[in-house]
């Protein structure tokens, strides 16, 4: 009983608001003091269909720089995370602390300084500029997840493979990397979400030239049309959710093929 | 491992760290003292800092940002911890279904701001509900949560957005917690409150501390939610930085960057002091 009440509370807190948004999306005329939407009108949904072109361009842009940020942060953090997890050296904790700082300190500080530099070297208002700045802000999540992953897996399997004569690349691709996939997924999901939902940094460095879904969403959310804002927010939840479900399914299948159970 | 090899292996991270993050901070610092300005500045080097030093509005905004960040981080960490403990105690099936809390984690901050707007404005869902039960008859009678000048709207939005994050962090640690300790304490006659504070809290404290630091500093320096919920007075620091940087003339840029540098220094100091205090507290606990 107690547990059911708590679960009901969680539903009310985290899922119910989404249903209210569905209500607004389906009934643009729903407003104070009606407690429930009372008719269905497809005005907002037809807007989504009519605007499918710009909508998918902005969604595609956001997916592109967010997924690129995941790959960039993975490349940046993989080898350093292995060192930080396995090799003891003096000042290691201090270094790790410094390296985690970009996720904690206000990102506006370094982003506005970088904006100045990016204008000089021509990276402002370009996709690579946005990917770089978003990666710089989100890599600590990937680094932390990878360090934890390296610490949890240990290097026994890699040593064993080395003893059996596996080369450097075989060890990396067939032993080390597959074992780290759960950590990479954990870190990658956070990096993706941070990048995908970021508004200010993309707006600052992308300058409107790099299409982003948050940039598309913002004017609609701050307008008085709650119905459109609701419909687009729901699109916003749906796309990453689908991506995560697909990823779970894909990785789960790959693991079963290798004969591992996760 | 030789120092050279060590640096070589760390370089994929150290090179971008130095050339982007550190360079960004240094460039912000350089511009904040008035160097490399795109226009000639009327006042000398470092004038922005002396101006901030003697501006009452700056202290007011700083205080307001601290207050919003502190209250929301505290509520989110506390609420998230309680919910996480509740979820942890659930039977397996319900526990698995409780992943629904992640819905809010996926939503961007601006969408959370929007939800708060939809629910808590004077013509929002809660106002309709209050009218139905007869608490109010006109929208203006509903408490002005969002624009009351006390930051409640911001606190509400941050707390709502951050609770799932705290749940996630705490649940991660609880996963490795030995339930037998719990049963043992029960058998020895400990009350629920006592078990919570003497057994559960000490073992999840690291997650609570990290959640608090992350959430506090995020709310302190972030831009998206205040920009959408837009209380103009008192304003968060980030909004004023934005206005000074983009909306006024170029001579105000050092002022904006000086504010950012002070926020940066405060954040670094906060992390250092907080972790020092926490580690000394845990050291004392171990002695007992």
């Amino acid at each position: 009983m107690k547990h059911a009440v708590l679960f009901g509370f969680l539903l009310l807190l985290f899922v119910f608001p989404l249903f209210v948004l569905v209500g607004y999306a389906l009934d643009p005329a729903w407003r104070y003091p009606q407690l429930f939407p009372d008719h269905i009108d497809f005005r907002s949904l037809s807007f989504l269909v009519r605007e499918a072109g710009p909508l998918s361009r902005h969604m595609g842009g956001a997916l592109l720089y967010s997924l690129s940020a995941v790959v960039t942060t993975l490349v940046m953090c993989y080898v350093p995370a292995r060192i930080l997890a396995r090799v003891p050296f003096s000042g290691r904790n201090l270094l790790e602390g410094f390296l985690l700082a970009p996720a904690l300190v206000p990102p506006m500080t370094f982003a506005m300084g970088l904006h100045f530099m990016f204008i000089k070297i021509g990276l402002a208002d370009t996709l690579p500029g946005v990917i770089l700045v978003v990666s710089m802000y989100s890599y600590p999540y990937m680094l932390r997840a990878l360090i934890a992953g390296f610490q949890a897996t240990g290097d026994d399997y890699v040593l064993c493979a080395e003893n059996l004569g596996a080369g450097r690349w075989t060890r990396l691709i067939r032993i080390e990397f597959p074992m780290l996939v759960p950590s990479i997924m954990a870190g990658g999901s956070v990096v993706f979400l941070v990048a995908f939902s970021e508004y200010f940094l993309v707006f600052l460095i992308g300058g409107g030239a790099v299409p982003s879904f948050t940039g598309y969403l913002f004017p609609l959310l701050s307008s008085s049309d709650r119905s459109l804002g609701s419909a687009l927010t729901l699109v916003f939840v749906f796309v990453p959710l689908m991506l995560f479900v697909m990823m779970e399914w894909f990785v789960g299948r790959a693991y079963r093929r290798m004969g591992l159970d996760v | 491992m030789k120092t050279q090899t060590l640096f070589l292996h760390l370089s994929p991270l150290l090179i971008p760290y130095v050339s982007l993050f550190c360079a960004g901070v240094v460039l912000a610092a350089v511009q904040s003292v008035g160097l490399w300005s795109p226009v000639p500045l009327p006042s000398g080097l470092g004038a922005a800092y002396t101006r901030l030093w003697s501006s009452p509005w700056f202290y007011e905004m700083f205080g307001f940002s601290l207050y919003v960040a502190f209250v929301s981080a505290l509520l989110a960490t506390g609420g998230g911890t309680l919910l996480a403990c509740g979820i942890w105690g659930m039977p397996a099936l319900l526990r698995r279904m409780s992943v629904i809390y992640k819905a809010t984690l996926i939503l961007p901050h601006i969408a959370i701001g929007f939800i708060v707007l939809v629910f808590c404005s004077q013509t929002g869902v809660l106002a309709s509900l209050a009218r139905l039960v007869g608490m109010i008859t006109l929208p203006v009678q509903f408490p002005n949560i969002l624009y009351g000048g006390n930051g409640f709207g911001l606190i509400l939005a941050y707390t709502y957005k951050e609770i799932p994050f705290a749940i996630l962090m705490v649940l991660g640690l609880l996963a490795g917690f030995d339930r037998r300790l719990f049963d043992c304490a029960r058998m020895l006659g400990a009350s629920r409150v006592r078990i919570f504070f003497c057994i559960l809290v000490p073992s999840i404290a690291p997650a609570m501390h990290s959640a608090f630091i992350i959430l506090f500093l995020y709310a302190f320096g972030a831009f998206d939610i205040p920009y959408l919920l837009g209380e103009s007075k008192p304003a968060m620091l980030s909004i004023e930085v934005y206005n000074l940087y983009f909306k006024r003339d170029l001579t105000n840029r050092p002022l904006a960057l000086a504010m950012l540098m002070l926020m940066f220094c405060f954040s670094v100091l906060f992390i250092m002091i907080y972790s020092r205090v926490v580690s000394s507290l845990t050291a004392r606990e171990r002695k007992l």
Side-chain angles (χ1 to χ4, degrees):
Chain A
M1 183 59 209
K2 192 179 66 183
H3 298 309
V5 171
L6 179 65
F7 188 71
F9 180 68
L10 289 176
L11 272 178
L12 187 72
L13 200 59
F14 298 117
V15 181
F16 173 68
L18 296 180
F19 280 98
V20 172
L21 295 187
V22 173
Y24 271 108
L26 290 179
D27 180 6
W30 178 24
R31 53 177 57 94
Y32 180 88
Q34 282 171 270
L35 197 54
F36 297 103
D38 55 3
H39 73 292
I40 287 184
D41 178 344
F42 290 106
R43 185 176 66 87
S44 298
L45 297 185
S46 66
F47 173 85
L48 294 188
V49 175
R50 206 170 55 241
E51 285 283 292
L55 195 64
S56 46
R57 194 167 63 87
H58 284 92
M59 181 57 92
L63 284 175
L64 182 64
Y65 67 71
S66 308
L67 292 173
S68 310
V70 174
V71 176
T72 312
T73 52
L74 179 61
V75 172
M76 266 164 66
C77 298
Y78 193 84
V79 178
R82 190 201 285 147
I83 298 292
L84 287 169
R86 302 240 171 101
V87 183
F89 56 91
S90 59
R92 186 173 67 170
N93 290 343
L94 193 68
L95 181 69
E96 197 186 322
F98 274 111
L99 288 175
L100 295 178
L104 292 175
V105 296
M108 275 174 116
T109 314
F110 86 89
M112 285 192 163
L114 265 190
H115 187 217
F116 181 82
M117 178 161 93
F118 278 12
I119 291 174
K120 299 275 178 208
I121 59 177
L123 272 174
D125 303 350
T126 64
L127 185 67
V130 169
I131 296 173
L132 278 181
V133 81
V134 168
S135 305
M136 213 47 224
Y137 169 54
S138 58
Y139 83 81
Y141 302 101
M142 180 64 93
L143 183 68
R144 203 45 246 163
L146 284 177
I147 291 177
F150 274 115
Q151 278 167 343
T153 52
D155 54 1
D156 298 353
Y157 286 98
V158 177
L159 281 177
C160 182
E162 196 177 355
N163 279 340
L164 292 171
R168 180 189 285 244
W169 286 105
T170 318
R171 290 196 312 260
L172 178 71
I173 294 166
R174 298 195 50 186
I175 313 283
E176 197 176 79
F177 198 76
M179 290 211 307
L180 277 171
V181 165
S183 310
I184 293 171
M185 281 193 4
S189 329
V190 182
V191 170
F192 177 84
L193 283 180
V194 167
F196 196 65
S197 46
E198 182 57 44
Y199 169 72
F200 181 73
L201 294 182
V202 178
F203 162 74
L204 176 74
I205 303 295
V210 178
S212 83
F213 198 64
T214 38
Y216 184 76
L217 193 62
F218 195 88
L220 292 164
L221 290 187
S222 52
S223 77
S224 57
D225 191 339
R226 287 185 183 169
S227 182
L228 265 185
S230 304
L232 283 163
T233 303
L234 290 170
V235 174
F236 205 118
V237 189
F238 185 71
V239 171
L241 205 63
M242 285 321 293
L243 206 68
F244 286 138
V245 170
M246 266 163 53
M247 194 174 73
E248 285 281 330
W249 180 78
F250 191 72
V251 172
R253 204 182 59 155
Y255 261 64
R256 277 191 296 279
R257 274 199 188 158
M258 289 192 297
L260 293 164
D261 195 28
V262 278
Chain B
M1 197 177 253
K2 269 194 289 182
T3 321
Q4 264 172 329
T5 349
L6 198 68
F7 270 104
L8 189 69
H9 283 191
L10 288 173
S11 62
L13 194 50
L14 286 180
I15 291 172
Y17 182 79
V18 172
S19 64
L20 294 174
F21 179 72
C22 298
V25 174
V26 169
L27 281 173
V30 166
Q31 291 181 80
S32 75
V33 295
L35 291 169
W36 296 354
S37 168
V39 289
L41 295 171
S43 42
L45 290 184
Y49 288 95
T50 46
R51 213 175 123 193
L52 285 180
W53 188 254
S54 57
S55 306
W57 57 262
F58 175 68
Y59 296 104
E60 197 187 333
M61 278 179 195
F62 206 95
F64 183 68
S65 305
L66 278 184
Y67 150 77
V68 167
F70 181 78
V71 175
S72 59
L74 201 65
L75 288 176
T77 312
T81 304
L82 287 179
L83 286 176
C85 292
I87 292 174
W88 181 69
M90 281 177 169
L93 179 68
L94 271 184
R95 196 166 62 225
R96 226 171 295 143
M97 278 161 62
S98 296
V99 293
I100 50 166
Y101 77 83
K102 289 189 182 169
T104 324
L105 218 53
I106 297 179
L107 284 170
H109 285 85
I110 51 173
I112 298 293
F114 178 68
I115 289 179
V116 167
L117 214 62
V118 164
F119 271 81
C120 299
S121 70
Q122 287 181 312
T123 54
V125 176
L126 292 182
S128 303
L129 198 68
R131 193 190 129 109
L132 185 83
V133 297
M135 280 163 67
I136 61 166
T137 48
L138 289 171
V140 287
Q141 290 169 324
F142 191 73
N144 192 353
I145 299 172
L146 298 181
Y147 307 107
N150 44 24
F152 284 172
L154 294 174
I155 292 176
L156 207 62
Y158 277 126
T159 308
Y160 184 54
K161 170 71 184 169
E162 292 168 346
I163 280 180
F165 182 77
I167 296 181
L168 188 77
M169 301 269 296
V170 173
L171 265 185
L173 259 193
L174 277 177
F177 184 77
D178 190 348
R179 275 168 201 270
R180 286 175 303 181
L181 276 175
F182 204 76
D183 299 332
C184 181
R186 285 308 290 276
M187 285 196 297
L188 293 170
S191 68
R192 287 183 161 277
V193 178
R194 181 119 196 231
I195 291 178
F196 181 75
F197 283 106
C198 296
I199 297 181
L200 224 46
V201 169
S203 55
I204 53 177
M208 289 169 72
H209 289 309
S210 345
F212 182 80
I213 294 186
I214 293 173
L215 299 180
F216 174 76
L217 289 179
Y218 182 83
F220 177 70
F223 174 80
D224 298 5
I225 285 184
Y227 191 52
L228 185 74
L229 289 179
E231 239 179 325
S232 54
K233 205 175 163 63
M236 297 290 274
L237 286 168
S238 53
I239 299 298
E240 186 60 20
V241 168
Y242 172 80
N243 287 337
L244 284 171
Y245 193 86
F246 285 107
K247 298 204 167 161
R248 311 267 187 78
D249 62 281
L250 292 170
T251 49
N252 280 308
R253 287 205 167 175
L255 202 60
L257 287 155
M259 284 172 78
L260 282 176
M261 282 314 295
L262 291 177
M263 287 162 74
F264 178 81
C265 294
F266 169 79
S267 305
V268 173
L269 258 173
F270 177 81
I271 302 171
M272 277 160 54
I273 293 172
Y274 191 100
S275 38
R276 186 68 56 83
V277 169
V278 167
S279 62
S280 76
L281 281 181
T282 37
R284 200 177 307 157
E285 254 170 38
R286 276 196 203 120
K287 265 183 228 153
L288 287 176

